[in-house]
Amino acid sequence: KELLRGKILCHASGALTAKEAFPDIEKYGGSGCSVHPLFAVSDKKLAYRELVDVFFAVEGTPACLRPMTEWLRSIGLHAQRMDGSKKRLYHAAAVVASNHVVALFAEAMDMLEACGFDEDAARAALAPLFLGNARHVAEAGPEKALTGPVERGDAATVEKHLAAFAEIGDEDDRALYRLLTKRLLRIAKEKHSERDFAAIEELVSQDV
């Protein structure tokens, strides 16, 4: 326990708070800190090469927040302090932007395969659309990057999409499409306050 006095212990979990990891550390004169890279680590041995522009979320014992943040910034990294009470929401945001995007890409691949594409062709066909759109969103933000039928207020096309899911009996995909379209509507309304999106709202608000 004496070994902890004056020491800073860190962990890199996105879901676990410093308090949860080191509940008694302050009692022994030490500090606990969570330093989480907002990055999908798919290769534990090589991922460090891609951390140059990554944001690190820092939370924990007040005494260690400033030195840890300053140290990260001093070696050219981005560091954002945050409250440990927001850690669950923070990690959920990371999952939505990373893991859920994997699920969406898989859904799109399945849809193209249902149209006659094989798996490799589906992935290759979607890659330019996926990568280009991801770059536009990251660089310009959701509002400027938004395109497609919702952005145009094209209710007829949205209705066709919903009908396509109904034809193949895929209610899960249909429900997912409706939920995501509701979120797109919020962005579209901010981008085009003069447009009437009532018809699309009605379509995606239906329970069946």
Side-chain angles (χ1 to χ4, degrees):
K1 295 177 181 179
E2 276 298 316
L3 293 175
L4 293 176
R5 190 169 300 281
K7 300 295 193 303
I8 296 175
L9 298 187
C10 292
H11 74 76
S13 169
L16 193 67
T17 66
K19 184 68 174 176
E20 290 168 331
F22 314 113
D24 300 318
I25 195 167
E26 289 182 271
K27 183 165 60 177
Y28 303 116
S31 298
C33 201
S34 167
V35 181
H36 179 254
L38 197 55
F39 181 75
V41 179
S42 55
D43 188 321
K44 295 180 180 179
K45 294 182 179 179
L46 301 176
Y48 72 91
R49 298 176 180 176
E50 302 178 78
L51 296 179
V52 177
D53 295 320
V54 173
F55 270 79
F56 287 77
V58 183
E59 60 87 12
T61 307
C64 71
L65 286 179
R66 182 173 179 179
M68 184 56 63
T69 303
E70 290 181 348
W71 175 72
L72 288 167
R73 291 172 178 168
S74 73
I75 58 175
L77 298 173
H78 306 287
Q80 174 69 47
R81 294 188 211 173
M82 61 176 293
D83 190 317
S85 67
K86 300 296 184 182
K87 196 68 178 284
R88 289 179 296 183
L89 184 60
Y90 159 82
H91 195 248
V95 167
V96 169
S98 178
N99 308 143
H100 286 187
V101 172
V102 173
L104 288 174
F105 193 89
E107 287 292 296
M109 283 184 61
D110 287 348
M111 291 175 198
L112 286 190
E113 288 176 47
C115 296
F117 289 64
D118 64 32
E119 182 179 341
D120 289 339
R123 185 172 62 252
L126 289 169
L129 173 65
F130 174 78
L131 295 173
N133 200 50
R135 184 176 64 254
H136 294 156
V137 172
E139 292 176 354
E143 186 176 310
K144 290 184 179 179
L146 181 61
T147 62
V150 176
E151 190 263 349
R152 296 192 299 270
D154 183 358
T157 296
V158 171
E159 187 172 20
K160 289 178 181 178
H161 294 168
L162 291 169
F165 294 128
E167 287 170 4
I168 61 174
D170 198 329
E171 286 304 315
D172 286 343
D173 280 352
R174 191 165 184 246
L176 178 63
Y177 182 95
R178 285 169 50 227
L179 285 172
L180 291 173
T181 299
K182 287 181 180 180
R183 186 62 182 90
L184 287 180
L185 277 169
R186 288 165 56 185
I187 303 170
K189 287 178 179 179
E190 292 176 1
K191 186 174 183 178
H192 301 291
S193 58
E194 78 286 355
R195 290 185 183 171
D196 183 2
F197 296 98
I200 296 178
E201 286 182 303
E202 183 178 354
L203 284 170
V204 298
S205 296
Q206 295 172 5
D207 293 330
V208 293

